[in-house]
Amino acid sequence: MRTRANKQSGATIKDVADLAGVSAMTVSRVLNSGHRVRPATQERVEAAIRELNYRPNLSARSLAKARSLFIGLLYNNPNPGYVSELLIGLMNRCRQVGYHLVIENFGSTDEEWAADIDGLLSSSNFDGLIVAPPVSDFDSVISAIERADLPCVRIAPEQEPDLFASVRTDDRDAARRMTRHLLDLGHRRLGFIAGDAGHGASRQRMSGFCAALEDAGIELEDALIVEGRFTYRSGLAAAEKLLSMPEPPTAIFASNDDMAAAVVGVAARKGIDVPGQLSVAGFDDTHTATTLWPQLTTVRQPIADMAGAAVDLLTAAINAEPDQDVAQTQRLLPCEVIIRDSSCPVAPDRG
Amino acid sequence: MRTRANKQSGATIKDVADLAGVSAMTVSRVLNSGHRVRPATQERVEAAIRELNYRPNLSARSLAKARSLFIGLLYNNPNPGYVSELLIGLMNRCRQVGYHLVIENFGSTDEEWAADIDGLLSSSNFDGLIVAPPVSDFDSVISAIERADLPCVRIAPEQEPDLFASVRTDDRDAARRMTRHLLDLGHRRLGFIAGDAGHGASRQRMSGFCAALEDAGIELEDALIVEGRFTYRSGLAAAEKLLSMPEPPTAIFASNDDMAAAVVGVAARKGIDVPGQLSVAGFDDTHTATTLWPQLTTVRQPIADMAGAAVDLLTAAINAEPDQDVAQTQRLLPCEVIIRDSSCPVAPDRG
DNA sequence: TGCTTGTTTGCACGCGTTCTCATTGCCGGC
DNA sequence: GCCGGCAATGAGAACGCGTGCAAACAAGCA
């Protein structure tokens, strides 16, 4: 019985085998990295595959392999732009390597996840897991995965060396380069708006900022560093604080775009021209960065690359022998500093 | 051989059957809407399922059913916030009904899709397709799906009655209600920034705007309606045009949030206070709407509901007999008008 | 040539589920 | 008391692919 679902390319491995004059086994071998197959045979098989437009049935394959071919993505939604790009990057790479991505999202706190994570891991049959921030730092989740003995890759986790593999961007280096950009424009009083203290990336970005100042021989001034929480609202308060100082900074580097947008908003209220009187820099290159006037100088993370790397690491771990230690690879990817209209050389009268 | 993938919940249908003292067939019947099973038996089987924490193996199921259990999502990325929410809504509903979502994205024009769509449909084995805007209006894509004879649900397509089922929001009604909100605030000179003329929703929103004016007995003034293209940049030009009129509007309704953000930006440049001197309204309730000062009065689409409805319609079509006509259901969902800080009663000195 | 070694190929079976068809009870009507 | 019919259940065959093991084959060596 050919149903609608498979009538489109109804060829099975048997059909291919018949056409090529070999057994199904040989076709299977050709498909799965054709080792132990004579080149001539391989070519005949591949010709047959092309001719019949044969596509292996994924269900049958995963059934036979006792692998679900499913990868779970554990995340929650801190930022739609980030999530969207991450999802697409993951999906694309997954498809290339024959896996499927299943999304799981319980809540925004460690506790909310703790309640359901064990049930999830035992009931869904994932071959492995990718964990995106901030879930990648939830203890309950990580230890549950450890208990379940599932391969796992963490994206941008806080702690460095770990039981699991991880992919992260070099936020510290990027913040350092962005700060250097502002210094190169002649700015000397730089304000910094930190992100959520519990977020690993926050510390890295702040550390990069401080390092660049140190490189330039400028001493840190505590009042110029204010704490935010990555939200627009927290950015408003921080910007208000910085811009009402007796001697305000000539440039402000916010730890993400939302807070940078808040700086631009507050500046507009106060009649401070951006970038004429105040340069502003953000981080993340979200949609917001270009939906603002002036468009934001910011840092772009290689999200698609990270996604690809995460999938690669995970599939490697899935296919590795249990006693191998490839499962703990750490990968660090560089960011790109994007210069737009919100930063310019310091005004001469305020040098 | 129990591999890592299935050791977690190794119970098979056979184990359940043995424990319940029935055959696998009966268990299967209980699982798939237990018809023709005595209540007592059903209960015994369900108890066994619970006790063993049995989860049917999806691979085996889809193999036996000759269904891939995959739904393809055809889209491209006009707006990360929209996409992100749509994806999550689709995923969640898919998981509930036992399907999996596979994302496909080729490019932003009809032509780019035309090149690959046939190959995609014949090589991937989807049980059905969900097509998001703007792909849902690409002729090449729609006709390719028709040729492939695959069930399909379109999200927010332009043409009304159609071969395929569709889910759309009532943009016209929402725009009408938003316009009424502005009128209720006392505004009489309303500016409107239209969206991309090729985009179906654009016309609906404009039509709703006009209808509300008509309801209120206000005659349309052509100069107060300017064309945009849904981008921030096009919004800047449109706002510039409206706000440099000899007698500028006291309220501007933009066809999406990005263009509304542009209006706020231009107003700030010109020293026009929002909302004091100018009320602004957007559409979509994207992330931008709350990452702006003042936060935007806007229209929220029930994206998650649409996603759920799309999946429901599609699975209904997949499971329907070929000659049934459920495949053409149209569903219309209402939007919500969200009033924030960018709109307020008209200033008495300009009323 | 005969033996060994290594390479290439095929057969039969299993993966977990659903489906078709057959079987068992059971009831009521004759 | 017999039989047709229906509800509830089971036995066994697919579904398409991967794997263990054995067979066929080629090559190297004495």
Side-chain angles (χ1 to χ4, degrees), chain B residues 2 13 25 28 32 54 56-57 60-61 64:
Chain B
R2 290 254 181 260
I13 199 173
M25 187 61 247
S28 176
N32 303 295
Y54 165 72
N57 181 315
R61 172 175 288 182

Side-chain angles (χ1 to χ4, degrees), chain A residues 267 271-279, chain B residues 269:
Chain A
I272 300 173
D273 180 49
V274 175
Q277 297 169 275
L278 177 71
S279 285
Chain B
R269 284 288 131 167

Side-chain angles (χ1 to χ4, degrees), chain B residues 129-313:
Chain B
L129 293 167
I130 291 176
V131 195
V135 185
S136 47
D137 281 318
F138 289 173
D139 285 338
S140 62
V141 173
I142 301 305
S143 57
I145 297 173
E146 210 175 321
R147 270 197 304 280
D149 191 28
L150 281 170
C152 169
V153 172
R154 298 210 271 169
I155 295 181
E158 188 162 1
Q159 295 91 358
E160 182 71 35
D162 199 282
L163 189 68
F164 297 128
S166 71
V167 179
R168 68 185 79 217
T169 50
D170 198 340
D171 284 36
R172 181 169 188 276
D173 172 67
R176 190 176 195 163
R177 276 155 47 214
M178 175 61 87
T179 308
R180 192 174 308 146
H181 161 68
L182 295 173
L183 291 169
D184 287 348
L185 290 174
H187 297 278
R188 284 300 171 267
R189 283 187 69 75
L190 302 187
F192 184 78
I193 304 181
D196 201 316
H199 209 304
S202 282
R203 287 208 268 276
Q204 295 298 319
R205 295 175 191 181
M206 168 120 76
S207 160
F209 173 77
C210 296
L213 287 193
E214 202 167 326
D215 293 346
I218 298 178
E219 72 175 300
L220 284 174
E221 188 177 326
D222 281 351
L224 285 174
I225 299 184
V226 272
E227 192 154 333
R229 285 189 329 280
F230 280 138
T231 64
Y232 183 74
R233 189 166 296 274
S234 72
L236 289 177
E240 189 65 45
K241 209 162 171 183
L242 284 172
L243 293 177
S244 36
M245 289 175 67
E247 195 183 351
T250 64
I252 295 180
F253 181 11
S255 290
N256 75 349
D257 286 348
D258 284 5
M259 297 194 296
V263 174
V264 171
V266 171
R269 284 288 131 167
K270 289 183 171 288
I272 301 173
D273 181 49
V274 175
Q277 297 170 275
L278 178 71
S279 285
V280 178
F283 208 111
D284 286 345
D285 194 26
T286 57
H287 186 66
T288 304
T290 51
T291 315
L292 204 64
W293 197 13
Q295 300 201 346
L296 224 47
T297 288
T298 186
V299 173
R300 173 161 179 71
Q301 298 189 42
I303 302 182
D305 293 345
M306 289 182 69
V311 173
D312 290 345
L313 284 180

